[in-house]
Amino acid sequence: DYLVREAPNIGPQVAVKLVNVFGNDTIKTLASNPGQIAGSIGPDGRSAVPKFGLSIDRAMELQTWAKGELSNARIKEKLYEIGITKGQVDKLIKAYGNNAEQRLKEDCFSLTEIHGFGFITAAKIANLIGVPKTDKGRIKAGVLYSLNGLLEHFGHTCLEHSELVRESCALLELSQEHINPIIKQMIQDGDLVTEETDFKQFCLEKGIEQ
């Protein structure tokens, strides 16, 4: 999938042949040894015995492409394996740049700030690259996802704290001991507001006795 979607002038049949021979080293082989892809080189500098139906010119074109892919080849392969679309992969690489996998491990759920990536997709990628369930970014994103889902489902503009905790625990498969400190921090940071805090501030600003 990766080769067909992104490599220049590579169709499904050639992609399958390459991967069958070189496996996980396909991108590295393309980047470092295009002659091995194209076949033996004749005295005129051209491929004497083409392999995989590729000329040396096409192999050299693939080499140029593969060299630019090396830093993100591993994560792209993984993403395509779990069904992430090319459009999403392009957005992800644009946002995270070279060595995207390491940056994702450090802050995977900032993905939810990119159009086209919701919590479920970000969680799928986080699971793929080994981000722990107790990651603070995961819990924060899960709380917001739970809150928005509940508000949309019931048509409310707010809900009980206990209901949010219960829904977040179920979504994230974690206990309240993991969820409550994050919710508290989110309130302190202004990511969430409580009715009590908001009402007191409103009365203070308006000079209303409580």
Side-chain angles (χ1 to χ4, degrees):
D1 285 348
Y2 176 18
L3 289 173
V4 171
R5 296 185 192 194
E6 301 212 11
N9 300 314
I10 290 292
Q13 291 184 343
V14 174
V16 169
K17 289 178 181 178
L18 287 169
V19 174
N20 283 343
V21 174
F22 300 107
N24 291 334
D25 291 327
T26 300
I27 303 298
K28 290 181 181 178
T29 303
L30 287 170
S32 62
N33 193 354
Q36 190 175 357
I37 298 294
S40 59
I41 309 303
D44 61 351
R46 299 292 178 179
S47 177
V49 185
K51 297 170 69 174
F52 310 107
L54 299 175
S55 66
I56 188 62
D57 289 337
R58 288 185 66 194
M60 294 299 290
E61 181 185 19
L62 283 170
Q63 181 186 38
T64 300
W65 168 80
K67 283 183 175 179
E69 291 289 297
L70 286 176
S71 67
N72 283 322
R74 174 183 166 87
I75 185 62
K76 281 190 174 185
E77 289 170 3
K78 290 181 177 181
L79 292 171
Y80 282 126
E81 283 177 6
I82 63 170
I84 303 301
T85 68
K86 185 180 186 307
Q88 288 175 311
V89 170
D90 289 344
K91 286 182 180 180
L92 185 152
I93 298 301
K94 183 178 180 180
Y96 289 87
N98 291 333
N99 301 312
E101 183 170 359
Q102 182 57 43
R103 295 186 61 190
L104 283 168
K105 286 181 178 179
E106 295 168 358
D107 189 17
C108 188
F109 287 86
S110 60
L111 267 174
T112 57
E113 299 171 9
I114 301 173
H115 179 70
F117 288 91
F119 172 79
I120 298 301
T121 300
K124 195 174 181 180
I125 294 171
N127 294 338
L128 177 74
I129 61 177
V131 176
K133 283 189 174 183
T134 54
D135 175 74
K136 290 182 179 180
R138 182 195 289 264
I139 296 175
K140 179 179 176 180
V143 168
L144 290 174
Y145 179 80
S146 298
L147 175 64
N148 290 329
L150 287 168
L151 295 181
E152 182 177 345
H153 180 72
F154 292 108
H156 296 170
T157 57
C158 62
L159 69 156
E160 294 289 338
H161 174 271
S162 58
E163 191 174 5
L164 177 59
V165 172
R166 183 169 57 253
E167 187 73 13
S168 299
C169 287
L171 173 70
L172 296 164
E173 299 179 337
L174 293 171
S175 66
Q176 293 186 26
E177 286 70 22
H178 290 103
I179 305 296
N180 277 323
I182 301 299
I183 290 180
K184 181 178 180 181
Q185 186 63 52
M186 291 173 74
I187 293 171
Q188 292 174 350
D189 294 340
D191 296 315
L192 296 174
V193 294
T194 65
E195 185 179 35
E196 180 182 2
T197 302
D198 196 40
F199 181 68
K200 286 182 177 180
Q201 183 64 31
F202 175 81
C203 291
L204 181 64
E205 292 175 355
K206 300 299 181 181
I208 301 172
E209 293 186 8
Q210 299 181 45

